[in-house]
Amino acid sequence: MGRTGTAGLHVAGLLLAVMASLVSSPGSAQEEMLDAGPGDPLLRVFLDCDRRTCDFDHFRREVSFVNYVRDRTDAELHVLVTSQETAAGGEAYEMFFMGLEERAAQQDTLRFVSQESDSDEEERAGLTQIFKLGLVRYAAPTSAGPLLDIRYSAPTQAQQQASTETDPWNLWVFSVRAGAELDGESRQSSQAFDGSFSASRTTEDLKIDISSFGQFEEEEFELSDGEVLVSTSRNINHEGLIVWSLGPHWSAGVRASALTSTRVNQDLTIRAAPALQYSVFPYAESTRRQITFLYSLGLASFDYEEVTLFDKLEETHAEQRMEVAAEFQQPWGEINSGLEASMFVRDPSLHRIDLSARVEYRIIRGLNLDLEGSVARVKDQIYVSREDTPDEEILLERRQLGTSFEYELELGFSFTFGSVFNNVVNPRMGSNRGRRFFN
């Protein structure tokens, strides 16, 4: 080998040595904490939160005095985050801190409520704050304890005064929205307009919820023979709900609606029905678990755009509905399921039964089951038009076709293995996860 080749090997070796020293050189105290290994005495935390709710990268950056692990079996603390929409349009979050191993007797719950007007950053900051507060008790005995600092920002006089002012809206919350969408190509175009309005007032004893939605859509297609095909649809829906609390397990209410829809051949359909609901667990526990039973009995008046298969242009029926629903968000996973049955009182053969379920279950360490599906027996389509539906309306799904059943199923497994630690955040050049490699 000549001098040039020997010199090249020396240069390559030097570059590798420099790169290795850069990779292995210690960084800041925070980076050292984030890179802690299994022998580090920092608290091991499993953060159990939907990624649409929690910004994991932000949490790992802002809360660096714990070790984040990927699997619950490696954790000393399990933090479960749940949320429900508030009457004001915000979100009510609950963080359940559940100690594991020798900390199994320690449990805490902290809450944060965001406003509808809050930005994503304000909501994220609020969640991060209560996450920090909840961790203090568990992190204090670890090596991070002596490095923690507790600060208190006293409210200003203006803030104290604002918190005691009388609500001029008397707990009513209103929302108005309008939108339009236009798109097109040389041989096709579409335009859509929609708008909505809602008003609600919620207290512990009474809930009032009113909403309206309207949509109009038109599409034009130029076919190969030069013919222009125009398809239009409209959907207008008004709903109202009043619910009275009858204790920690019972509630009573009245629901009413008015619908106009070309898809289901309904020029105007009006429904009204009182209902009674029982909850096995107190409603106060609904963010983590609930099993409810509901029964309603009311009237439905139909006015059709076209004559139906039963030669009707209008009719009125008494109808009843029964519903069983269950929701669980627990350390082992999440389950949502429901069974709903409705029928016309005069003719029980005209009925519909829906069964739906969604399961996210941790089978064993690193192995998760994801199952989502629904099935329905459909025997209540009294609104189907007796006129033949044009092929273009079928392809564009502008009309509801007659059917005796519906189903949908999605099943998946995921298995994760490797390092149990999940602390480091590196956003450079994005990630391959979720990336499409073929178009």
Side-chain angles (χ1 to χ4, degrees), residues 12-29:
L14 179 61
L15 288 174
L16 288 173
V18 171
M19 291 174 64
S21 65
L22 287 174
V23 172
S24 61
S25 61
S28 64

Side-chain angles (χ1 to χ4, degrees), residues 143-344:
S143 62
L147 304 177
L148 296 177
D149 182 22
I150 308 299
R151 299 177 183 273
Y152 171 68
S153 299
T156 64
Q157 184 176 358
Q159 290 172 326
Q160 290 178 334
Q161 182 178 357
S163 64
T164 60
E165 287 182 353
T166 303
D167 179 12
W169 295 99
N170 192 26
L171 297 179
W172 279 97
V173 178
F174 303 90
S175 177
V176 180
R177 181 191 175 280
E181 180 180 349
L182 303 173
D183 64 74
E185 299 177 5
S186 59
R187 297 181 60 182
Q188 70 179 59
S189 64
S190 68
Q191 53 185 350
F193 307 91
D194 65 83
S196 63
F197 168 82
S198 66
S200 63
R201 185 180 188 274
T202 303
T203 67
E204 290 293 333
D205 299 321
L206 178 66
K207 178 169 73 173
I208 303 174
D209 196 348
I210 303 169
S211 64
S212 295
F213 173 80
Q215 182 183 47
F216 173 82
E217 186 173 1
E218 181 179 86
E219 293 183 281
E220 292 187 9
F221 302 89
E222 182 181 339
L223 306 181
S224 57
D225 60 0
E227 181 185 357
V228 177
L229 173 66
V230 179
S231 175
T232 62
S233 67
R234 73 178 188 279
N235 180 32
I236 302 173
N237 189 31
H238 309 282
E239 292 190 47
L241 173 68
I242 302 177
V243 181
W244 293 269
S245 300
L246 303 179
H249 295 274
W250 288 93
S251 60
V254 177
R255 185 185 296 273
S257 66
L259 171 69
T260 297
S261 175
T262 54
R263 175 172 167 76
V264 290
N265 186 32
Q266 296 181 20
D267 190 41
L268 179 62
T269 295
I270 299 176
R271 283 185 163 94
L276 187 66
Q277 186 184 65
Y278 172 74
S279 177
V280 174
F281 303 105
Y283 287 107
E285 300 179 14
S286 61
T287 58
R288 293 188 64 187
R289 59 178 185 173
Q290 61 175 327
I291 299 177
T292 57
F293 300 86
L294 181 144
Y295 176 79
S296 67
L297 176 64
L299 291 175
S301 173
F302 301 91
D303 188 359
Y304 305 112
E305 290 184 339
E306 300 174 353
V307 177
T308 69
L309 292 173
F310 298 91
D311 293 323
K312 300 285 188 180
L313 267 176
E314 59 181 32
E315 54 187 323
T316 300
H317 295 281
E319 59 180 2
Q320 58 182 339
R321 182 167 65 95
M322 292 150 282
E323 179 183 321
V324 181
E327 296 185 21
F328 293 91
Q329 283 189 301
Q330 298 294 321
W332 42 259
E334 179 179 347
I335 294 179
N336 296 316
S337 62
L339 175 64
E340 181 178 342
S342 61
M343 66 185 69
F344 295 115

